[in-house]
Amino acid sequence: MTPSHLLLATLAAGSVALADTPARPAYVGLGDPHLNVVPRTEAEAARIAAATARATDFTSAQAYEERPAGAATVRVLPDANAFSQPSGNISFEDELEFKLGNGLFRKLWVSSPSSTLASDGLGPLFNARSCQRCHIKDGRGHPPENADDNAVSMFLRVSIMDPEGGAESAAVAEIADYIATLPDPTYGSQLQDFAVPGHASEYRLAVRYDEEIVRLADGTEVALRHPTYEAANLGYGPLHEGAMLSPRVAPQMIGLGLLEAIPAADLLANADPDDLDGNGISGRPNIVWSVQFDQPMLGRFGLKAGSPTIMEQSASAFAGDIGISTPLFPAGAGECTANQTLCQAAIHGDNDDRGTEIDAEGMDLVTFYSRNLGVPARRDVDDPEVLRGKEIFHSLGCTSCHTPSFVTHRLADQPEQSFQLIWPYTDLLLHDMGPGLADDRPEGRATGREWRTPPLWGIGLTRQVSGHTYFLHDGRARSLIEAILWHGGEAQAARDSVVNLPAEDRAALVRFLESL
């Protein structure tokens, strides 16, 4: 058994200690420390296996398929608010907490000092003044659409390789195959294109596209956009010579609490890093160090699964995107580095009763809101064309990465997420997507060619909610077909099969995706 398979086998079995080696000490605790789990019984495990079995009959919808979030599913609103509803099974009392969290998610932060003491602390460097400005209507962001459009829902991550290979970090040493990186010494781990008065912004995001025409087997031509990104107008001197840049568009927010509640063992059971089954798919988990729990955890959130919990992902976004300090990341200067001395010396908003610019109570509310954004119901699940598209989706092997369904943990204190049959169409694992989508920037255990499988639920409502149909990590794809044609690496065979589909089958595949 290879070291990677030893890791996966021990995790999937519920034992989380690696075998001791001179280079990699044993560690314990990798599982679901963020959840208050009620263990499954053998009878429940058997029911779950039956409920999540892959479809074999495509003449009708599977049981409960129209409710992708189980009892937490919400009705489909006819407007842009379709992603902004609380879980369908939330209590009246908890809905108030959801609304308070929504208020903080939408809050416009202001710079310090300010008379609005509960809302000051913005920046000094930032990408947006509120969470909602990036996750517009809780949907996905978009790249700048022209030279005059800002990049408020998109930014560039930046890092450099750690020349010591993480040798100084005990946390990194405990994680097999971890690729150690460091923030850019001047610009940190992401570039901010806005700044409060008196400070220079870090850059302006410039995007240029070159088009490539792909001809499908039936003669249909599809234009793919090849993006080139530039960190223009750098405000603090040059980037490090080894700086690695990666574009990020804000993802949609629905169903996060349910993804967080999937048992780690169930996700790890789908991993096959050495492709032992020979199907060409070799999903790997991203294992990251949790600041919140001070231990290795399974990465679930972010485009490369670089964050283990909603709380940690949210706190990181407050620091990096808005420059707001939190109990997890208490630096008042947010993402400012030691080389940005004016930013470090600025007045920050953490000198009052809050302690940090958003306190623990506020973070709990934002986390609760993010955890309970409801997933809208499926549409047309029994439509013959949708069923044909579903059959094609399965037959092409798309479900090897886009795992249709899971059952969440039974939870003692999160009834909305407890023991729900869900249909997110993701395995939350890392997959090599080929050179076309590679950003050449590692993150945790993810290489520069690997991305986390994105959930597909809600994808058919993107235009309704967000006003566009830009997909993939940087919004380069302008349609679902373009997104499919960008698939490479482990997904190359499935992508090539789509190229060769008859037009009516290709239309059925898209119709199925739009029903999700």
Side-chain angles (χ1 to χ4, degrees):
M1 181 175 287
T2 67
S4 294
H5 274 82
L6 175 61
L7 168 65
L8 295 173
T10 53
L11 294 178
S15 171
V16 294
L18 280 179
D20 285 309
T21 68
R24 212 176 301 284
Y27 60 86
V28 296
L30 181 58
D32 298 309
H34 59 298
L35 300 172
N36 189 359
V37 175
V38 178
R40 293 173 175 174
T41 66
E42 290 186 11
E44 286 175 339
R47 287 169 51 205
I48 290 166
T52 57
R54 299 293 170 88
T56 56
D57 176 7
F58 299 96
T59 61
S60 62
Q62 291 168 266
Y64 311 112
E65 190 178 4
E66 74 280 3
R67 297 175 64 80
T73 304
V74 297
R75 64 191 179 94
V76 182
L77 296 180
D79 55 27
N81 295 310
F83 287 175
S84 299
Q85 304 172 77
S87 298
N89 54 353
I90 199 169
S91 68
F92 176 80
E93 294 79 7
D94 285 343
E95 189 169 353
L96 176 59
E97 187 172 351
F98 177 88
K99 290 178 179 177
L100 291 172
N102 185 22
L104 288 170
F105 195 82
R106 298 168 61 90
K107 174 192 277 193
L108 292 175
W109 295 85
V110 298
S111 58
S112 301
S114 169
S115 59
T116 56
L117 294 180
S119 300
D120 71 332
L122 176 68
L125 305 176
F126 60 97
N127 295 106
R129 290 182 58 199
S130 75
C131 308
Q132 186 77 208
R133 288 287 180 92
C134 290
H135 302 279
I136 304 161
K137 291 290 185 180
D138 303 297
R140 67 183 70 233
H142 61 85
E145 295 187 342
N146 53 60
D148 297 324
D149 189 18
N150 66 43
V152 72
S153 59
M154 182 180 189
F155 62 79
L156 293 177
R157 289 213 182 278
V158 58
S159 57
I160 63 173
M161 295 303 300
D162 182 351
E164 302 297 325
E168 301 298 319
S169 172
V172 168
E174 291 194 32
I175 300 175
D177 303 323
Y178 194 92
I179 306 170
T181 61
L182 296 170
D184 182 275
T186 299
Y187 289 92
S189 59
Q190 73 186 62
L191 294 171
Q192 286 89 17
D193 49 355
F194 293 102
V196 302
H199 296 263
S201 62
E202 289 189 325
Y203 84 125
R204 178 180 61 83
L205 175 61
V207 188
R208 187 188 79 248
Y209 294 103
D210 296 308
E211 288 204 344
E212 171 197 5
I213 301 299
V214 176
R215 184 182 293 273
L216 307 184
D218 64 0
T220 301
E221 293 186 345
V222 180
L224 300 186
R225 300 191 301 177
H226 288 259
T228 300
Y229 300 98
E230 178 189 0
N233 302 344
L234 289 167
Y236 297 86
L239 289 157
H240 187 278
E241 62 182 1
M244 301 173 289
L245 300 176
S246 180
R248 294 289 193 276
V249 165
Q252 65 187 30
M253 296 287 294
I254 58 173
L256 299 185
L258 295 164
L259 298 177
E260 187 179 53
I262 299 172
D266 290 358
L267 295 168
L268 292 165
N270 290 325
D272 184 15
D274 298 318
D275 191 23
L276 295 182
D277 62 7
N279 69 348
I281 307 299
S282 51
R284 303 190 311 127
N286 201 354
I287 309 298
V288 299
W289 188 266
S290 170
V291 175
Q292 184 180 359
F293 291 95
D294 195 32
Q295 66 183 60
M297 288 183 65
L298 176 66
R300 299 172 188 252
F301 302 108
L303 292 164
K304 293 204 175 201
S307 191
T309 67
I310 297 170
M311 170 72 81
E312 199 156 331
Q313 175 75 7
S314 300
S316 177
F318 267 113
D321 300 352
I322 315 178
I324 297 298
S325 61
T326 69
L328 281 182
F329 302 105
E335 254 270 299
C336 295
T337 68
N339 289 333
Q340 295 169 324
T341 54
L342 185 62
C343 180
Q344 290 287 349
I347 298 174
H348 305 301
D350 52 1
N351 295 315
D352 54 37
D353 291 342
R354 290 173 292 172
T356 51
E357 290 161 339
I358 183 169
D359 59 16
E361 182 181 8
M363 280 305 306
D364 285 343
L365 289 170
V366 170
T367 301
F368 186 84
Y369 172 75
S370 301
R371 182 181 293 139
N372 282 288
L373 281 164
V375 179
R378 286 274 309 276
R379 285 83 54 210
D380 304 322
V381 294
D382 283 315
D383 181 275
E385 186 179 29
V386 169
L387 291 169
R388 174 59 181 152
K390 178 183 173 183
E391 183 176 14
I392 293 167
F393 188 84
H394 281 251
S395 68
L396 296 184
C398 302
T399 58
S400 297
C401 300
H402 292 283
T403 304
S405 60
F406 293 93
V407 171
T408 60
H409 270 304
R410 190 181 294 281
L411 301 172
D413 53 359
Q414 291 177 215
E416 299 87 3
Q417 289 81 44
S418 180
F419 211 59
Q420 300 299 323
L421 171 61
I422 63 172
W423 304 77
Y425 284 88
T426 176
D427 59 8
L428 295 183
L429 298 176
L430 301 171
H431 293 276
D432 181 341
M433 296 302 294
L437 289 178
D439 65 351
D440 299 318
R441 176 185 175 271
E443 183 176 338
R445 300 177 77 233
T447 70
R449 289 168 54 119
E450 289 181 313
W451 299 93
R452 181 204 68 162
T453 306
L456 296 182
W457 52 13
I459 198 168
L461 297 172
T462 299
R463 183 182 295 280
Q464 176 181 317
V465 172
S466 301
H468 64 74
T469 54
Y470 297 136
F471 302 111
L472 301 178
H473 66 280
D474 57 0
R476 69 178 68 184
R478 294 162 293 188
S479 67
L480 291 171
I481 283 295
E482 285 187 37
I484 292 169
L485 293 179
W486 271 109
H487 283 50
E490 297 174 39
Q492 185 70 45
R495 177 262 185 205
D496 292 347
S497 294
V498 171
V499 169
N500 292 312
L501 285 176
E504 60 270 22
D505 283 351
R506 192 168 63 247
L509 175 63
V510 170
R511 181 81 189 282
F512 164 69
L513 294 172
E514 290 175 342
S515 78
L516 296 177

